[in-house]
Amino acid sequence: MSNPSKIIYTFTDEAPALATYSLLPIVEAFAASADIAVETSDISLAGRILASFAEHLDADKRVQDDLAKLAVLATTPEANIIKLPNISASVPQLKGAIAELQAQGYNIPDFPEDPQTEAELQARARYSKILGSAVNPVLREGNSDRRAPAAVKAFARKHPHSMGEWSMASQSHADYMRGGDFFSSEQSITMDKAGDVRIEFVDKNGKVEVKKQLALQEGEVFDSMFMSCKKLREFFEATLQDCKETGVMWSLHVKATMMKVSHPIVFGHAVSVYYKGAFDKHAALFAELGVNPNNGISSVYDKIKSLPASLQEEILHDIHACYSDRPEMAMVDSVKGITNLHIPSDVIVDASMPAMIRSSGQMWGKDGKLKDTKAVMPESTYARIYQEMINFCKTNGAFDPTTMGTVPNVGLMAQKAEEYGSHDKTFEATVDGTMRVVLADGTVLMQHEVEAGDIWRACQTKDAAIRDWVKLAVTRARQSNTPTIFWLDPERAHDLQLQKKVEAYLQEYDLSGLDIRLMGYNEAIRISMERLIRGQDTISVTGNVLRDYLTDLFPIMELGTSAKMLSIVPLMAGGGMYETGAGGSAPKHVQQLIEENHLRWDSLGEFLALAVSLEETGIKTDNPRAKLLGKTLDAATGKLLDNNKSPSRKTGELDNRGSHFYLALYWAQELAAQTEDSVLQAHFSPLAKTLADNEATIIAELSAVQGSPVDIAGYYRSSPELTSKVMRPSPTFNAAIASLH
Amino acid sequence: MSNPSKIIYTFTDEAPALATYSLLPIVEAFAASADIAVETSDISLAGRILASFAEHLDADKRVQDDLAKLAVLATTPEANIIKLPNISASVPQLKGAIAELQAQGYNIPDFPEDPQTEAELQARARYSKILGSAVNPVLREGNSDRRAPAAVKAFARKHPHSMGEWSMASQSHADYMRGGDFFSSEQSITMDKAGDVRIEFVDKNGKVEVKKQLALQEGEVFDSMFMSCKKLREFFEATLQDCKETGVMWSLHVKATMMKVSHPIVFGHAVSVYYKGAFDKHAALFAELGVNPNNGISSVYDKIKSLPASLQEEILHDIHACYSDRPEMAMVDSVKGITNLHIPSDVIVDASMPAMIRSSGQMWGKDGKLKDTKAVMPESTYARIYQEMINFCKTNGAFDPTTMGTVPNVGLMAQKAEEYGSHDKTFEATVDGTMRVVLADGTVLMQHEVEAGDIWRACQTKDAAIRDWVKLAVTRARQSNTPTIFWLDPERAHDLQLQKKVEAYLQEYDLSGLDIRLMGYNEAIRISMERLIRGQDTISVTGNVLRDYLTDLFPIMELGTSAKMLSIVPLMAGGGMYETGAGGSAPKHVQQLIEENHLRWDSLGEFLALAVSLEETGIKTDNPRAKLLGKTLDAATGKLLDNNKSPSRKTGELDNRGSHFYLALYWAQELAAQTEDSVLQAHFSPLAKTLADNEATIIAELSAVQGSPVDIAGYYRSSPELTSKVMRPSPTFNAAIASLH
């Protein structure tokens, strides 16, 4: 090896940061045996604040801008980044962190609520860049590679989650539009050279309004499509009538979060159709009050609070009267009376449909009972896969986590690929006319006749992102030696453009021995499911929306949760980012540590990400020891799951630190037991023995400290010395790890 | 052409024979224009009787053995046989024919009921060969090629039959065993050389009983399989419990006719499980009475008639009591109280399932209403295709005959291929033991451990039949220029043997430009259905059972009936047989002719068969005029359907003869209108003009004769002179046809 390899381990916030104090020394010690350095990169909220105000600080208190460095690293082939969950700071969180840092002697400005001076304006500008999701956009420069790690899969097989039984007589189904939706109107082009385009609306008098201008790259795929408001409302009415006739419960499943402009409008039409009686009767008043059905029926309740009591009562009565004309609706919370149409973000299709399918195809009724349900998903593009799975479960019964295979995903998302909900290219027509996409020279590339209320949207997918996605799929197919399916629907305009590219770019690779196929969505999911129930694995290679849907759908069937999936972003420049844990950074865990010296954070995500990071290092730098470390770490993680050595929630029982001890023990044992590399075997055998011999002592030392409060001198930026002491309380364990060096 | 081509037009019985008197002169006249001779071959019941007793007859009354000649012809490449429906004689019919022939002066012996003398024994032996299905086994020396002719398809598109709507909330489904059935136990071998095998049963004491000896050919595929009696009964009980819980009606669908040994036993278990209460309580009495549940619950009613009234009442009460414990059962005739379990041949899967699917997935309940139904089909091998179609209809709605494509079939059936129900290789185990297939040298080829009650069966498929089937599939794919799917399930032992052969034999053909694929049943039917609803055609190439099922299933969706399908048996020696009409030979039609001089027989099947026969003649003898005759005949048939010139059932309206006139008119017009062949154009233009000009006259002449009785001097063998006169009553029409020569 020319250069010793380097893994960047991000230092973040709250529980993951605390756990890092315990885990990182172990990781460093093990990684060193394969000549791999593990460096931390401080992208914590506090770290980012300090880096933003470096010139305000004394020289000894200055910190580097690690995020900026990481952003540069992410564009190099050497990037190997383990990305732990970090705080997406709200304003209160940011102010809390500022106050703490100031108290620690860092001379940073207050957060200017109402900036006036030049200094305040500058401070506000800097703090704005730190707020919210400020890390991921900088680092996610690649497509998505998600899979269930072997250890997690083995655990689910041995300790299966519950799965509701399916009846062949189930009435549940997914219903979707058979015309008039985005699917049926989609047009798609590929730019043969770079060029500027305008999105225009032309009204019936020929007046042209430019809605948006975009510079498209050569090879970029550009789509446009619309959903007919009239057809959508007719469809909703028909589904309601059908449920009324068949006695099946009605439910709506959209993705108002991801499709953040189009789906709230779709949701709003469902609200105003379901509660048509009340909306029609009070149309003028609702308009005056600014009632927006897109915000859910709950917003009506909010808006009418200003009205006289008698009028409020009348409106509430009219809303409730709708329930007698309409079929029963699925509930989000039947105890609290929260319906499916309460607020638009409660029922999110990628989570709600797997939950329904896991629960025998049923959802909760208003009486708190599970019932057969019509799952209404207006847009047919992706809804069909759920109907396919429902039919499959009716025929074959519920999936069996103890025997089923797995469906990993390679998803197109780099450079904002296929962001169908992208707010800046979605428009709701206010009058009848034509929406069109026009080249700078006036050539009309695509156009749709729209009516008032129709939802028109466009979407970009860059060629470089597609090329990288194909490469990633081939790499994953090769590395997993697993049949691989590109989900490309021959009836979708967009997918036909992609198909041409995929077929061309696949030619650039050695595909010998690989089973890579292109299929429509229905066929793809069906074959994947047929293989699943026979214990066989199939890689799904999909666009951005299916990436999002499938990385919940299959994991929830296979593992009971999508949080245990490996989430890798192989960066387009050649590096890799390994994301851990979907559960956030867990403020409650920090509180428990400080008050009772027990950290319940589960580092499973870190173990899994690290194993892949090591494996990738091994492959990229031709370092067999790195691969071996990865493989044995996976085995150790499996053993840890198997022996139930994950942290307990209860103080006094095994916590995060004890779990790390067992990981080290099992990892050392795996390395001592393997015979591929005798040097590593010899290196780790003494540690394996020491840890095993001292298991009782170490566990006692780790348990002894629990139960009393500790002081780590900070929440957003605790004292490294104090925190390290708290997180490494076993001298026996620390000495054993130290002996590795 | 070296030889003028020859088409054999079979002369059969009853209505088809009467119609032949009218149609044949037209056919002869048209065919002559392409240098094709049309010869009749008398395979009527009367003809076969006379041929069998030639030496009893005076020289002037002797007839040739046309069937024997046809049997020889069928083994030559020149065979081109149009096979009309004939009488499969029962004993009463045979005796009726004998009496009629004797009265006509034919000196043939009586049918000896109780033969004693040498002469009587000989006569009985000869008559036995004439009884029953005596024609088809001699002539069907090939595989099956069935499709909806273009004209029929066009008619169905324009005049669609009714199709029940499907609800996405339908609870109907097909249920089948998930183990313990023939599918899961199937074993299959291919003989690497010819050899004798024994089917043996070995009991627990090692005693060997030879059940059957067979001489197998080189390359022959031999299967064995069994159905567990215990698992079958558990399955029936589970389906009944499930229906009881879900409120879905219960129904059983078997094929007791084709699977003539195994399926009656399966049916019997359904009866004794459904009526378990009564069968358990009266077990001893039922055994004494010889009650056999395989004959249906109706047989219990028959058997108990000999008992004292009070005991009869008790048993009936106990049978009726079962209905309260069991779910509602589908009815064959709710008015008459005939249930699904009444007799084993009432509900035959290949007819009952398409009917259910056409009726919104519902069957008739005891209250005479259509209801959602569990269709129980224990053997999973083929049942899965129905569940696939049910799921498809739930998702996509009922098929639309006006827009749907077509699924023709190429079916393996030559040389008794895949006769799974073949009675001589099916055994019901009476005690526990081993069923095995053993080579002459003692090598055990296949074996199954069976328990008392298990149904074991074997099945042969000859290599020559498979080779011919592959050839036929390639020919059909080429001639129809249509995507073609071999339905071969990769999870079936038998199909894996076939798959190897198919892949090898396909290599022998030029497949350029053809789309021929091999797929499992579920995938095959799914893709065929996806194409169907998009108006696309897909050829299904299947084994014998699926041939039987699919040539009802798809035609019933597409055409409303399977009777309008073209049914071709391309003979293995290279000739062709074209079967017409699935409706039998229709004795009631003859009665109407004799009493009212109106023949309602529809010669559509003959028109269709003749067109293919002409087309095949054209291809085989390189005779473009024959092809043109075929093509124009098809067009004429289409026009005839379109103009509603099929025979009416009512005396006084257009009948069979009038329909033939219109066929001649349209056929001549098509030939006069075409420009491919100017000689034929010139030849038929005068006829087209004459027939069109004289339409009113001819129709008047044809109508004038109707309403009075006629005498044709015989039923089984009418007078040719009298019959011809009755069947050709229009001098104008006759003269026009005569002018062609």
Side-chain angles (χ1 to χ4, degrees):
Chain A
M1 289 170 287
S2 50
N3 291 317
S5 306
K6 191 167 75 179
I7 291 176
I8 302 294
Y9 198 94
T10 55
F11 183 82
T12 59
D13 304 287
E14 298 175 329
L18 293 175
T20 298
Y21 281 96
S22 165
L23 183 57
L24 196 60
I26 302 169
V27 172
E28 286 169 335
F30 276 69
S33 70
D35 207 13
I36 297 169
V38 181
E39 272 187 18
T40 55
S41 175
D42 183 353
I43 56 170
S44 67
L45 176 59
R48 286 181 286 131
I49 293 171
L50 295 181
S52 297
F53 294 95
E55 81 278 16
H56 289 238
L57 306 178
D58 299 337
D60 66 321
K61 290 199 181 290
R62 285 184 194 156
V63 302
Q64 290 186 311
D65 189 347
D66 278 2
L67 181 58
K69 284 171 70 186
L70 268 196
V72 173
L73 179 66
T75 64
T76 70
E78 290 75 30
N80 187 327
I81 304 166
I82 295 176
K83 161 70 180 62
L84 279 72
N86 64 293
I87 292 178
S88 290
S90 62
V91 171
Q93 282 176 306
L94 181 59
K95 287 163 85 175
I98 292 166
E100 178 177 318
L101 290 168
Q102 288 169 336
Q104 289 174 356
Y106 293 98
N107 183 29
I108 52 172
D110 286 341
F111 178 79
E113 288 278 7
D114 182 21
Q116 300 293 340
T117 68
E118 177 64 25
E120 281 171 354
L121 283 163
Q122 201 194 65
R124 176 61 183 254
R126 290 192 192 178
Y127 280 129
S128 290
K129 286 191 181 169
I130 297 167
L131 277 170
S133 182
V135 171
N136 285 338
V138 174
L139 300 182
R140 279 190 182 161
E141 258 294 309
N143 291 300
S144 155
D145 180 7
R146 291 195 184 178
R147 60 188 192 272
V152 169
K153 191 72 186 156
F155 178 76
R157 288 212 165 117
K158 202 163 174 180
H159 308 281
H161 47 281
S162 66
M163 294 289 279
E165 277 187 26
W166 271 81
S167 165
M168 292 197 92
S170 167
Q171 297 191 289
S172 294
H173 58 272
D175 202 355
Y176 43 86
M177 294 172 76
R178 311 303 168 118
D181 65 339
F182 293 123
F183 177 78
S184 53
S185 65
E186 189 176 76
Q187 299 180 25
S188 184
I189 54 155
T190 298
M191 298 293 284
D192 56 1
K193 57 183 181 191
D196 293 338
V197 300
R198 304 189 299 273
I199 297 174
E200 297 178 343
F201 177 75
V202 188
D203 72 14
K204 289 293 175 190
N205 301 318
K207 195 179 141 240
V208 176
E209 179 193 356
V210 176
K211 310 285 286 187
K212 181 88 187 169
Q213 287 189 292
L214 294 159
L216 300 184
Q217 299 177 356
E218 181 182 337
E220 186 157 359
V221 176
F222 196 64
D223 314 327
S224 63
M225 66 209 80
F226 79 103
M227 178 173 274
S228 159
C229 171
K230 195 175 141 214
K231 292 277 174 61
L232 174 66
R233 293 181 66 88
E234 286 170 1
F235 167 72
F236 279 136
E237 185 61 43
T239 62
L240 291 165
Q241 293 300 333
D242 187 47
C243 283
K244 192 82 181 163
E245 278 166 33
T246 59
V248 169
M249 194 162 65
W250 187 91
S251 65
L252 177 69
H253 304 254
V254 291
K255 178 120 195 184
T257 48
M258 187 187 202
M259 316 291 193
K260 55 191 168 186
V261 179
S262 56
H263 277 203
I265 301 171
V266 169
F267 179 86
H269 285 298
V271 171
S272 59
V273 171
Y274 190 97
Y275 297 101
K276 194 166 184 306
F279 271 77
D280 282 356
K281 181 174 171 189
H282 301 285
L285 177 61
F286 280 10
E288 192 185 312
L289 289 171
V291 165
N292 184 356
N294 301 6
N295 295 331
I297 194 69
S298 68
S299 74
V300 178
Y301 300 138
D302 289 344
K303 292 283 185 185
I304 62 174
K305 276 181 187 157
S306 58
L307 298 174
S310 64
L311 189 50
Q312 281 193 46
E313 258 176 48
E314 184 193 334
I315 293 171
L316 287 176
H317 175 269
D318 292 335
I319 288 174
H320 292 151
C322 295
Y323 292 115
S324 61
D325 299 336
R326 292 306 195 185
E328 185 175 359
M329 188 182 353
M331 301 299 282
V332 169
D333 187 331
S334 51
V335 175
K336 294 182 183 161
I338 310 289
T339 73
N340 191 158
L341 295 178
H342 215 68
I343 55 168
S345 58
D346 265 349
V347 178
I348 295 295
V349 55
D350 54 336
S352 59
M353 286 306 300
M356 173 176 163
I357 294 168
R358 253 192 87 183
S359 303
S360 311
Q362 300 183 318
M363 294 181 75
W364 300 102
K366 64 176 188 290
D367 55 2
K369 287 182 182 156
L370 282 169
K371 287 171 191 175
D372 285 357
T373 308
K374 179 193 282 284
V376 174
M377 283 171 279
E379 192 180 343
S380 64
T381 322
Y382 308 107
R384 296 169 298 152
I385 66 164
Y386 294 112
Q387 173 68 355
E388 191 70 30
M389 187 175 274
I390 287 170
N391 279 336
F392 192 83
C393 290
K394 283 183 192 173
T395 302
N396 298 288
F399 289 102
D400 179 355
T402 66
T403 56
M404 72 192 293
T406 186
V407 179
N409 180 267
V410 172
L412 179 57
M413 71 172 195
Q415 301 178 325
K416 298 186 180 174
E418 293 188 2
E419 291 225 334
Y420 289 104
S422 188
H423 62 287
D424 62 350
K425 292 184 283 296
T426 305
F427 306 98
E428 189 177 16
T430 50
V431 294
D432 296 1
T434 304
M435 284 294 305
R436 64 187 192 191
V437 177
V438 187
L439 265 185
D441 69 3
T443 309
V444 176
L445 298 174
M446 299 181 275
Q447 66 177 14
H448 292 100
E449 298 302 309
V450 295
E451 296 177 314
D454 290 356
I455 310 161
W456 187 97
R457 67 188 191 189
C459 154
Q460 296 171 255
T461 312
K462 295 197 179 0
D463 184 56
I466 299 168
R467 280 182 185 272
D468 178 76
W469 174 60
V470 173
K471 179 182 162 200
L472 181 56
V474 174
T475 306
R476 175 53 42 219
R478 179 70 68 195
Q479 287 179 9
S480 299
N481 191 25
T482 296
T484 297
I485 301 174
F486 277 85
W487 295 37
L488 291 169
D489 200 301
E491 301 194 9
R492 270 193 74 186
H494 171 78
D495 284 12
L496 289 175
Q497 298 294 318
L498 252 59
Q499 188 184 319
K500 280 187 238 166
K501 286 179 181 276
V502 169
E503 281 169 352
Y505 300 158
L506 279 175
Q507 302 297 318
E508 296 168 11
Y509 300 94
D510 170 20
L511 303 177
S512 57
L514 299 184
D515 178 359
I516 298 184
R517 280 178 281 177
L518 279 62
M519 283 180 203
Y521 304 162
N522 274 350
E523 197 181 352
I525 195 168
R526 177 62 178 276
I527 288 185
S528 300
M529 290 188 298
E530 292 282 357
R531 293 175 52 82
L532 262 187
I533 61 172
R534 290 165 178 81
Q536 296 162 340
D537 307 335
T538 317
I539 297 168
S540 62
V541 186
T542 70
N544 202 1
V545 179
L546 282 174
R547 170 198 65 76
D548 189 54
Y549 289 8
L550 297 192
T551 56
D552 275 319
L553 182 58
F554 288 114
I556 287 172
M557 301 303 143
E558 296 173 28
L559 314 172
T561 170
S562 55
K564 290 181 178 175
M565 292 288 276
L566 257 183
S567 181
I568 304 174
V569 183
L571 302 164
M572 288 174 63
M577 180 162 71
Y578 312 97
E579 300 189 352
T580 86
S585 49
K588 278 191 185 167
H589 294 199
V590 184
Q591 192 182 356
Q592 190 181 16
L593 178 86
I594 290 170
E595 292 173 2
E596 305 177 12
N597 199 2
H598 177 95
L599 184 64
R600 70 163 84 154
W601 176 258
D602 188 345
S603 296
L604 177 64
E606 285 86 276
F607 305 160
L608 299 171
L610 181 63
V612 192
S613 167
L614 287 165
E615 187 197 358
E616 289 284 319
T617 301
I619 292 165
K620 284 180 181 158
T621 63
D622 195 18
N623 179 347
R625 281 186 183 155
K627 287 196 221 176
L628 189 57
L629 280 179
K631 191 171 135 188
T632 49
L633 173 53
D634 253 342
T637 304
K639 202 166 168 185
L640 181 135
L641 287 168
D642 222 32
N643 291 346
N644 196 22
K645 298 301 185 190
S646 298
S648 162
R649 299 167 64 91
K650 280 193 199 159
T651 298
E653 296 182 354
L654 194 76
D655 83 343
N656 176 269
R657 296 163 289 192
S659 180
H660 292 169
F661 159 72
Y662 279 107
L663 184 83
L665 168 63
Y666 298 150
W667 196 0
Q669 284 176 335
E670 289 291 333
L671 283 158
Q674 57 79 31
T675 54
E676 276 177 48
D677 186 319
S678 58
V679 174
L680 282 196
Q681 189 180 32
H683 185 65
F684 284 98
S685 293
L687 178 65
K689 186 171 186 323
T690 305
L691 294 181
D693 290 350
N694 292 285
E695 178 181 350
T697 309
I698 292 168
I699 292 301
E701 288 171 357
L702 292 172
S703 299
V705 300
Q706 289 196 40
S708 319
V710 290
D711 180 17
I712 53 172
Y715 180 93
Y716 291 100
R717 190 172 181 84
S718 68
S719 151
E721 295 71 30
L722 291 178
T723 314
S724 177
K725 208 176 144 199
V726 166
M727 289 304 299
R728 306 190 72 205
S730 165
T732 311
F733 183 40
N734 297 349
I737 294 300
S739 72
L740 256 193
H741 292 288
Chain B
M1 289 169 287
S2 48
N3 291 316
S5 305
K6 193 169 69 179
I7 291 175
I8 303 294
Y9 197 95
T10 54
F11 184 82
T12 59
D13 305 288
E14 298 175 330
L18 295 174
T20 298
Y21 279 96
S22 164
L23 184 58
L24 196 60
I26 303 169
V27 172
E28 286 170 337
F30 276 68
S33 70
D35 207 14
I36 298 169
V38 181
E39 273 187 18
T40 54
S41 174
D42 183 354
I43 57 170
S44 67
L45 176 59
R48 287 182 285 130
I49 292 171
L50 295 181
S52 296
F53 295 95
E55 82 279 13
H56 289 238
L57 305 178
D58 297 338
D60 66 323
K61 290 200 181 290
R62 283 183 197 156
V63 304
Q64 290 186 311
D65 188 347
D66 280 2
L67 182 58
K69 284 171 68 187
L70 269 196
V72 173
L73 179 66
T75 63
T76 71
E78 289 75 29
N80 187 326
I81 304 165
I82 296 176
K83 161 71 180 63
L84 280 72
N86 65 293
I87 293 178
S88 290
S90 62
V91 172
Q93 283 176 304
L94 182 59
K95 287 162 84 174
I98 293 167
E100 178 177 318
L101 291 169
Q102 288 169 337
Q104 288 173 356
Y106 293 98
N107 183 30
I108 52 170
D110 288 340
F111 178 78
E113 288 278 8
D114 184 21
Q116 300 294 336
T117 67
E118 179 62 26
E120 283 170 355
L121 283 163
Q122 204 195 59
R124 175 62 181 256
R126 290 193 194 177
Y127 280 128
S128 291
K129 285 190 181 169
I130 297 166
L131 277 171
S133 181
V135 172
N136 286 337
V138 173
L139 300 182
R140 278 189 183 162
E141 259 295 308
N143 291 300
S144 155
D145 181 7
R146 291 194 184 179
R147 60 187 192 271
V152 170
K153 189 72 186 157
F155 178 78
R157 287 212 165 116
K158 201 162 174 183
H159 308 280
H161 48 280
S162 66
M163 295 288 280
E165 277 188 25
W166 272 82
S167 164
M168 291 197 90
S170 166
Q171 297 191 289
S172 293
H173 58 271
D175 202 357
Y176 42 86
M177 294 172 75
R178 312 303 168 118
D181 64 341
F182 292 123
F183 176 78
S184 53
S185 65
E186 189 176 75
Q187 299 180 26
S188 184
I189 55 155
T190 299
M191 297 294 283
D192 56 1
K193 57 182 182 193
D196 295 337
V197 300
R198 303 187 301 273
I199 297 173
E200 297 179 343
F201 177 75
V202 188
D203 73 12
K204 290 293 175 191
N205 301 318
K207 196 180 139 240
V208 177
E209 178 194 356
V210 176
K211 310 286 285 187
K212 181 86 187 166
Q213 287 189 293
L214 295 159
L216 300 184
Q217 297 178 357
E218 182 181 335
E220 186 158 359
V221 176
F222 197 64
D223 315 326
S224 62
M225 67 209 80
F226 79 103
M227 179 173 274
S228 159
C229 170
K230 195 175 142 212
K231 291 276 173 62
L232 174 65
R233 294 181 66 88
E234 286 170 1
F235 167 72
F236 280 135
E237 185 61 44
T239 62
L240 291 165
Q241 293 300 331
D242 187 46
C243 283
K244 192 80 181 163
E245 279 167 31
T246 59
V248 169
M249 194 162 65
W250 186 92
S251 66
L252 177 68
H253 305 254
V254 291
K255 178 120 194 183
T257 48
M258 187 189 203
M259 316 290 193
K260 55 189 169 188
V261 180
S262 56
H263 277 202
I265 300 171
V266 169
F267 180 86
H269 285 298
V271 172
S272 59
V273 171
Y274 190 97
Y275 298 101
K276 195 168 185 302
F279 271 78
D280 281 358
K281 181 175 171 189
H282 301 285
L285 177 62
F286 281 10
E288 195 185 308
L289 288 171
V291 164
N292 183 356
N294 301 6
N295 296 331
I297 194 69
S298 67
S299 74
V300 178
Y301 300 139
D302 290 343
K303 293 284 185 185
I304 63 173
K305 277 179 185 157
S306 58
L307 298 174
S310 64
L311 189 48
Q312 281 193 46
E313 259 175 47
E314 184 193 333
I315 293 170
L316 287 175
H317 175 270
D318 292 334
I319 288 174
H320 292 151
C322 295
Y323 292 116
S324 61
D325 299 336
R326 292 306 194 185
E328 184 174 359
M329 187 181 354
M331 302 299 282
V332 169
D333 187 330
S334 52
V335 175
K336 295 184 183 159
I338 311 290
T339 73
N340 191 158
L341 295 179
H342 216 67
I343 57 168
S345 59
D346 266 348
V347 179
I348 295 296
V349 55
D350 54 338
S352 60
M353 286 306 299
M356 172 175 164
I357 293 169
R358 254 193 87 184
S359 305
S360 313
Q362 299 183 318
M363 294 181 76
W364 301 101
K366 64 176 187 290
D367 55 2
K369 288 182 181 155
L370 283 169
K371 287 171 190 175
D372 285 357
T373 308
K374 180 192 282 283
V376 174
M377 284 171 279
E379 192 179 342
S380 64
T381 321
Y382 308 107
R384 294 169 298 150
I385 67 165
Y386 294 111
Q387 172 69 355
E388 190 71 27
M389 186 174 274
I390 288 170
N391 279 336
F392 192 81
C393 290
K394 284 184 193 174
T395 301
N396 298 288
F399 289 101
D400 179 356
T402 67
T403 57
M404 72 192 294
T406 185
V407 179
N409 181 266
V410 173
L412 179 57
M413 72 174 193
Q415 301 178 327
K416 299 187 180 175
E418 293 187 1
E419 293 227 332
Y420 288 106
S422 188
H423 62 287
D424 62 349
K425 292 184 283 294
T426 305
F427 307 97
E428 188 177 17
T430 50
V431 294
D432 297 1
T434 304
M435 285 296 302
R436 65 187 190 190
V437 177
V438 187
L439 265 185
D441 69 2
T443 309
V444 176
L445 297 175
M446 297 180 277
Q447 66 176 15
H448 293 100
E449 299 300 311
V450 295
E451 295 177 315
D454 290 356
I455 310 162
W456 187 98
R457 68 188 191 189
C459 153
Q460 294 172 257
T461 311
K462 295 201 179 358
D463 184 57
I466 299 168
R467 279 183 185 272
D468 179 76
W469 174 61
V470 173
K471 180 182 161 200
L472 181 56
V474 174
T475 307
R476 177 51 44 218
R478 177 71 68 195
Q479 288 180 8
S480 299
N481 191 25
T482 296
T484 298
I485 300 174
F486 278 86
W487 295 36
L488 291 170
D489 200 300
E491 300 194 9
R492 269 194 74 186
H494 170 77
D495 284 12
L496 288 176
Q497 299 294 318
L498 252 59
Q499 187 184 319
K500 279 187 240 166
K501 285 178 182 278
V502 169
E503 282 169 350
Y505 299 158
L506 279 175
Q507 302 297 318
E508 296 168 11
Y509 300 93
D510 170 19
L511 304 177
S512 56
L514 299 184
D515 179 0
I516 298 183
R517 280 178 281 176
L518 279 62
M519 283 181 203
Y521 305 162
N522 274 350
E523 197 182 351
I525 194 167
R526 177 62 178 274
I527 287 184
S528 300
M529 291 188 296
E530 294 282 358
R531 293 176 51 82
L532 261 187
I533 61 172
R534 290 165 178 81
Q536 297 162 339
D537 307 335
T538 317
I539 298 167
S540 61
V541 187
T542 69
N544 203 1
V545 180
L546 281 174
R547 171 197 65 76
D548 189 54
Y549 290 9
L550 297 193
T551 57
D552 275 318
L553 182 59
F554 288 114
I556 287 173
M557 301 303 143
E558 296 173 28
L559 315 173
T561 169
S562 55
K564 291 182 178 174
M565 293 288 277
L566 259 183
S567 180
I568 303 173
V569 183
L571 301 165
M572 287 174 64
M577 181 163 71
Y578 312 97
E579 300 189 353
T580 87
S585 49
K588 277 189 186 170
H589 295 200
V590 183
Q591 195 182 353
Q592 191 181 14
L593 178 86
I594 290 170
E595 293 173 2
E596 306 176 14
N597 199 2
H598 178 95
L599 184 64
R600 71 163 83 154
W601 175 258
D602 188 346
S603 295
L604 177 64
E606 286 85 277
F607 305 160
L608 299 171
L610 182 62
V612 192
S613 168
L614 287 165
E615 186 197 0
E616 288 284 320
T617 301
I619 292 165
K620 284 181 181 158
T621 64
D622 194 20
N623 180 347
R625 285 189 181 153
K627 286 196 222 175
L628 188 57
L629 281 178
K631 192 173 135 187
T632 49
L633 174 54
D634 253 341
T637 305
K639 203 167 168 188
L640 182 135
L641 287 169
D642 222 32
N643 291 346
N644 196 22
K645 299 301 184 190
S646 299
S648 161
R649 299 166 65 89
K650 280 193 198 158
T651 299
E653 297 183 353
L654 194 78
D655 83 342
N656 177 267
R657 296 163 290 192
S659 179
H660 292 168
F661 159 71
Y662 280 107
L663 184 81
L665 169 62
Y666 298 150
W667 196 0
Q669 286 177 332
E670 290 290 334
L671 283 158
Q674 58 80 30
T675 53
E676 275 176 48
D677 186 317
S678 59
V679 175
L680 283 196
Q681 189 180 31
H683 186 64
F684 282 99
S685 292
L687 179 65
K689 185 171 186 322
T690 306
L691 295 181
D693 290 348
N694 292 285
E695 178 181 351
T697 310
I698 294 169
I699 293 300
E701 289 171 356
L702 292 173
S703 298
V705 300
Q706 289 196 40
S708 319
V710 291
D711 180 16
I712 52 172
Y715 181 93
Y716 291 101
R717 190 171 180 83
S718 67
S719 152
E721 294 72 28
L722 291 178
T723 314
S724 178
K725 210 176 142 199
V726 167
M727 290 303 300
R728 305 190 72 204
S730 166
T732 312
F733 184 40
N734 296 349
I737 295 298
S739 72
L740 256 193
H741 291 290

